Amino acid sequence: MTASQKPVLLTGASGNLGRMLAAELSARGHSLVLTDIKPFPDPLPEGAGFTTVDLGDGLAMMRIAEGCRAILHFGGVSVDRPFEEVLDPNIRGLYHVYEAARREGARVLFASSNHSIGFHERPSGNAAKLDADCAFRPDSFYGLSKAYGELMGRLYWDKHGVENLNVRIGSCFPEPVDARMLSTGSPSPTWRGSAPTSSRRRRSAMP
């Protein structure tokens, strides 16, 4: 099996964005390994299999990543919650993802968030907008976990050569539902309103 024929692992596959990505990637001919702690609510896309896995289970994550060429990490707590609820899926679970990627020689795309920089003051008037290299200023334990995730990617690139891309997502809906989403959404049909507002590239683009 060539590298391009190896499957792509998608965590958080049962969420709104995960389901959109699964359908889009399947339509483009990618073989997919889907996982989430919740059942997949839709008919499985062609070329996809689904397994229920807890991100906090390191051994299960290692097993499900076997033979995968890339891990699209969209799993974990996606809203502000108490620290203990964020800890296992977003902190320990992310470590399991990167350890699996290191072992398999896989690339990682990490779903970060604008909440990793959410306590910056909002620019007004002609003030300069924030750029991709602005300092982290997380606005919650959820945002803190996303800053941690981006730094984890930096560590695994520097120490282990794991190629990774961080995408700070603003919102993910078919169309804007309020004024804020006019600035956090994207017209791209692939992302359907999600906003890759900031990214950091390591060596080369994801497959």
Side-chain angles (χ1 to χ4, degrees):
M1 180 182 293
T2 65
S4 62
Q5 293 174 320
K6 291 182 178 181
V8 173
L9 172 60
L10 172 61
T11 70
S14 299
N16 289 336
L17 186 50
R19 290 156 63 193
M20 292 178 188
L21 285 171
E24 182 71 26
L25 291 170
S26 173
R28 297 188 181 196
H30 293 280
S31 176
L32 300 173
V33 177
L34 308 179
T35 185
D36 202 305
I37 198 171
K38 297 179 180 179
F40 194 73
D42 303 328
L44 282 177
E46 184 177 353
F50 179 84
T51 304
T52 301
V53 171
D54 187 330
L55 289 168
D57 186 338
L59 182 58
M61 285 300 301
M62 292 291 181
R63 286 173 175 168
I64 200 169
E66 287 181 356
C68 290
R69 62 188 169 94
I71 302 175
L72 311 184
H73 184 40
F74 287 77
V77 173
S78 60
V79 294
D80 187 24
R81 298 298 301 163
F83 180 74
E84 289 299 327
E85 294 182 30
V86 173
L87 176 61
D88 211 45
N90 289 33
I91 303 298
R92 187 173 289 110
L94 182 83
Y95 165 71
H96 294 155
V97 165
Y98 267 99
E99 274 296 287
R102 178 186 65 81
R103 191 185 71 170
E104 298 297 325
R107 294 170 170 178
V108 176
L109 188 149
F110 173 59
S112 187
S113 171
N114 57 347
H115 291 279
S116 66
I117 55 172
F119 264 148
H120 280 282
E121 291 188 14
R122 182 180 299 177
S124 60
N126 294 323
K129 302 292 191 282
L130 297 175
D131 59 29
D133 293 321
C134 68
F136 290 117
R137 291 193 67 177
D139 58 16
S140 56
F141 290 127
Y142 165 70
L144 183 63
S145 76
K146 295 302 183 179
Y148 168 85
E150 293 191 29
L151 289 170
M152 179 74 84
R154 177 78 260 182
L155 170 66
Y156 268 76
W157 165 250
D158 288 339
K159 192 170 184 177
H160 302 297
V162 175
E163 298 179 27
N164 61 90
L165 178 67
N166 303 317
V167 181
R168 291 179 187 159
I169 299 171
S171 52
C172 176
F173 294 89
E175 58 186 32
V177 298
D178 56 31
R180 176 181 177 275
M181 287 189 187
L182 293 175
S183 63
T184 62
S186 164
S188 166
T190 300
W191 289 89
R192 298 188 185 181
S194 70
T197 54
S198 172
S199 64
R200 296 179 183 181
R201 193 181 302 272
R202 303 285 184 260
R203 188 184 297 171
S204 60
M206 294 297 299

